[in-house]
Amino acid sequence: MFGTHHTKMMIFFYEDDTARVVIHTANLVQTDWGKKTQGAWISTQLRKLEPNRVPGRNPSFGPDLLGYLSAYGRELEPLRALLATYDMTHETGAIVGSVPGRHRRDAGALNSFGHLRLGHLLATRVPPLAAGSGVGGGLSEKWMMQEFRGSLLKCKKDRSSDARALQQVGTCVVYPTVEEVRDSNQGWRGGGSIPFNDKTWVKQQSWFRRLLHRWEATKAGRSRAMPHIKTFSRVSATGEVAWFLLTSHNLSQAAWGSLEKSDSQLFIRSYELGVLIYPELFQSQPQQLSTMRYATANDVAHLPKALYLNWPLSKETAAPGQQLEDEDRVDVLIRFPFDFPLSRYRAADDPWRWDVLFEGFDTFGMTRESA
């Protein structure tokens, strides 16, 4: 009846009674980790809950993650019970999950999962940022441009002029062309984990093509590493980032869910999991001003490699000219897997479809048929 288990997560428990949660995009196969563009959100080193331990500023992360794990039933109850003994209030992220089933308004579950969960978080926690683009990894135009896009455009104070301006924001989809797959570090085989088929393309190209942008990642250093990463974000023309989501969700109705019965229930087919990042999570005190901005690999080359997607700057790690964290302000760099500004598909560009035998020889001199 339902789709797949698509979540990618690891939970580590160590001999010193600490733990760590990793939510990522790679499958447990060698080529995913060594050849493709992926992303990982890594928690702090979690410590056991203690009566005198000072809690952090994010009390919902732990209950939300444990709530997602509870959807698996009894088999994961021992894992869930053990993880519940750790303090997760210091994490810079919010859980966005999908669980198969029909989640109903009358059961209080309509905003618990899928794109409605994301929209709820944005509407309650993220201020508006206009003049940006929504960026993402069979869907209908109505679902994509109205239902799903509607969730992505949610923000706090949605009656403000800034919020109304969001309705004019462009929607962009970064997706590799046939040429980019052919010339990748895996050649034609690099497209094997990009499951977009020709039948779907034929049905939706009349409206979908205008959203497409090339996989250009020269500044990010990943042009030839084909994407398996899934990110969604709202970014201004100046590089300011309102929010950033790293997730297992593909751009599909099966992953994000579709509204049914006069919008009274959300039908989801797959297990998915992601982490939403937004500026307020990095505030060390309520009055502190926090912002996030796009950064290139060169911008963050001096920072620890383990801090892959987001990191507040400090006096020890900041390069000349970069904003430092202080009592009044903190800037957070977000390393996107592709370059800005985005590049629209050219007239001759053809989107990759994994079931088409395209002509030409790849990086290794192989044809599509023989690869």
Side-chain angles (χ1 to χ4, degrees):
M1 177 181 179
F2 301 121
T4 61
H5 182 271
H6 200 239
T7 291
K8 284 85 174 168
M9 176 171 59
M10 297 181 286
I11 303 175
F12 299 96
F13 298 98
Y14 302 103
E15 292 181 353
D16 62 357
D17 265 352
T18 62
R20 199 180 295 275
V21 176
V22 180
I23 297 172
H24 58 97
T25 64
N27 293 303
L28 287 178
V29 294
Q30 183 177 4
T31 53
D32 266 31
W33 291 88
K35 297 290 185 180
K36 300 184 185 300
T37 296
Q38 307 281 6
W41 177 91
I42 304 173
S43 76
T44 62
Q45 192 169 10
L46 304 176
R47 301 186 182 280
K48 287 280 191 175
L49 287 167
E50 298 175 357
N52 298 324
R53 184 170 172 79
V54 178
R57 292 175 47 82
N58 190 2
S60 62
F61 182 89
D64 289 341
L65 179 57
L66 295 172
Y68 170 80
L69 291 174
S70 69
Y72 289 82
R74 295 180 181 177
E75 290 186 359
L76 289 189
E77 182 55 34
L79 171 65
R80 184 174 176 273
L82 178 58
L83 187 59
T85 64
Y86 287 84
D87 180 6
M88 292 180 271
T89 63
H90 298 271
E91 301 315 304
T92 51
I95 293 294
V96 178
S98 285
V99 171
R102 287 180 165 87
H103 307 282
R104 307 198 319 268
R105 177 183 287 114
D106 60 10
L110 188 62
N111 293 325
S112 297
F113 301 107
H115 73 80
L116 293 185
R117 163 67 175 171
L118 175 58
H120 175 72
L121 288 171
L122 298 179
T124 56
R125 304 187 187 183
V126 182
L129 172 63
S133 301
V135 181
L139 61 161
S140 70
E141 182 177 11
K142 180 179 180 181
W143 179 86
M144 172 72 180
M145 302 308 294
Q146 297 181 31
E147 181 178 329
F148 183 64
R149 186 172 182 269
S151 287
L152 267 61
L153 291 180
K154 296 286 187 183
C155 65
K156 289 199 300 188
K157 302 178 182 178
D158 59 5
R159 295 182 181 178
S160 69
S161 58
D162 280 345
R164 288 193 296 272
L166 283 174
Q167 300 306 316
Q168 307 304 317
V169 167
T171 300
C172 307
V173 178
V174 177
Y175 185 82
T177 66
V178 173
E179 175 188 18
E180 288 167 334
V181 172
R182 183 196 66 202
D183 297 339
S184 71
N185 60 2
Q186 291 183 280
W188 291 122
R189 292 183 181 180
S193 58
I194 311 175
F196 185 44
N197 63 57
D198 193 56
K199 182 179 179 180
T200 300
W201 169 243
V202 169
K203 288 195 300 183
Q204 63 190 46
Q205 63 176 311
S206 62
W207 62 271
F208 195 58
R209 184 179 179 87
R210 68 177 182 269
L211 308 180
L212 292 176
H213 292 68
R214 294 171 59 87
W215 174 254
E216 292 190 354
T218 302
K219 289 182 286 187
R222 296 183 171 275
S223 288
R224 299 185 66 232
M226 287 297 95
H228 191 260
I229 192 171
K230 290 89 177 175
T231 63
F232 298 80
S233 186
R234 189 188 303 153
V235 186
S236 77
T238 60
E240 187 175 354
V241 180
W243 56 268
F244 181 90
L245 176 70
L246 174 72
T247 186
S248 67
H249 293 79
N250 286 310
L251 185 57
S252 72
Q253 292 169 240
W256 285 107
S258 299
L259 285 166
E260 299 178 333
K261 294 187 175 181
S262 301
D263 298 348
S264 66
Q265 65 183 27
L266 186 70
F267 178 42
I268 298 174
R269 292 182 177 272
S270 300
Y271 286 95
E272 310 280 359
L273 189 62
V275 179
L276 175 69
I277 299 166
Y278 52 93
E280 288 183 5
L281 288 167
F282 295 90
Q283 293 176 346
S284 58
Q285 48 193 338
Q287 68 273 22
Q288 191 177 51
L289 174 65
S290 57
T291 58
M292 301 195 314
R293 58 188 173 88
Y294 160 77
T296 67
N298 288 335
D299 293 329
V300 299
H302 64 286
L303 294 174
K305 292 184 178 179
L307 302 176
Y308 176 64
L309 283 173
N310 61 88
W311 39 81
L313 300 179
S314 68
K315 293 181 180 179
E316 289 72 27
T317 60
Q322 290 182 314
Q323 176 66 47
L324 300 179
E325 180 178 2
D326 55 34
E327 293 182 358
D328 300 318
R329 179 184 178 89
V330 59
D331 258 359
V332 181
L333 298 180
I334 302 294
R335 181 179 172 183
F336 279 73
F338 42 78
D339 297 340
F340 283 97
L342 302 179
S343 298
R344 289 187 179 275
Y345 266 37
R346 301 171 301 208
D349 285 337
D350 202 9
W352 168 256
R353 283 96 73 203
W354 71 342
D355 58 345
V356 176
L357 295 178
F358 295 106
E359 296 181 352
F361 296 94
D362 69 7
T363 304
F364 305 100
M366 305 286 285
T367 65
R368 174 75 180 95
E369 188 173 11
S370 61

